[in-house]
Amino acid sequence: QVQLVESGGDLVQPGGSLRLSCAASGSISSIQDMGWYRQGPGKQRELVAVITSGGRTSYADSVKGRFTISRDNAQNTVYLQMNNMKPEDTAVYYCKAQVTTRSNYAFELWGQGTQVTVSS
């Protein structure tokens, strides 16, 4: 079976930096778009950043200029570099990927989430 596993969530002080990673594994033929979402306390899940298989990126206005999404296609991994972090960045961060299996089945895959807390 295919799976998506996030890591890197931690407690960080305002102004600090954190790097999240998300690795896909299993019988994968290809991965199209990959993205990061987050859900803060009492809030709806929102898109943070997305990157296409060709490397084109898009960001939410709230993180533009502070966060950078990237991917390593050889390792089926997507990263989120978070700089100048703010308390409002506190959330559970989820990785999502558009995956096509070796049996040619395409579906949307979500990771389990990783907690990011920004606090003094």
Side-chain angles (χ1 to χ4, degrees):
Q1 294 187 17
V2 298
Q3 64 180 123
L4 208 57
V5 180
E6 302 107 326
S7 63
D10 205 351
L11 172 65
V12 64
Q13 293 184 338
S17 297
L18 206 59
R19 185 177 178 87
L20 306 181
S21 64
C22 173
S25 62
S27 57
I28 298 171
S29 176
S30 64
I31 301 177
Q32 292 73 52
D33 292 356
M34 301 185 80
W36 288 95
Y37 292 71
R38 68 185 182 186
Q39 186 167 17
K43 301 179 181 179
Q44 293 186 327
R45 188 173 300 185
E46 64 175 345
L47 175 67
V48 176
V50 63
I51 184 168
T52 69
S53 60
R56 290 187 289 105
T57 60
S58 296
Y59 298 90
D61 289 341
S62 59
V63 307
K64 192 172 184 178
R66 300 188 297 119
F67 291 9
T68 302
I69 188 171
S70 62
R71 64 191 288 170
D72 184 340
N73 291 332
Q75 296 187 349
N76 290 331
T77 302
V78 63
Y79 304 94
L80 185 67
Q81 178 66 47
M82 303 182 290
N83 297 326
N84 190 25
M85 299 191 71
K86 303 176 180 180
E88 49 263 44
D89 295 323
T90 296
V92 177
Y93 284 70
Y94 298 90
C95 176
K96 188 181 77 172
Q98 295 291 136
V99 177
T100 301
T101 67
R102 298 189 189 279
S103 60
N104 205 33
Y105 176 66
F107 64 99
E108 192 174 84
L109 183 65
W110 287 87
Q112 84 284 357
T114 184
Q115 177 69 52
V116 172
T117 302
V118 185
S119 177
S120 298

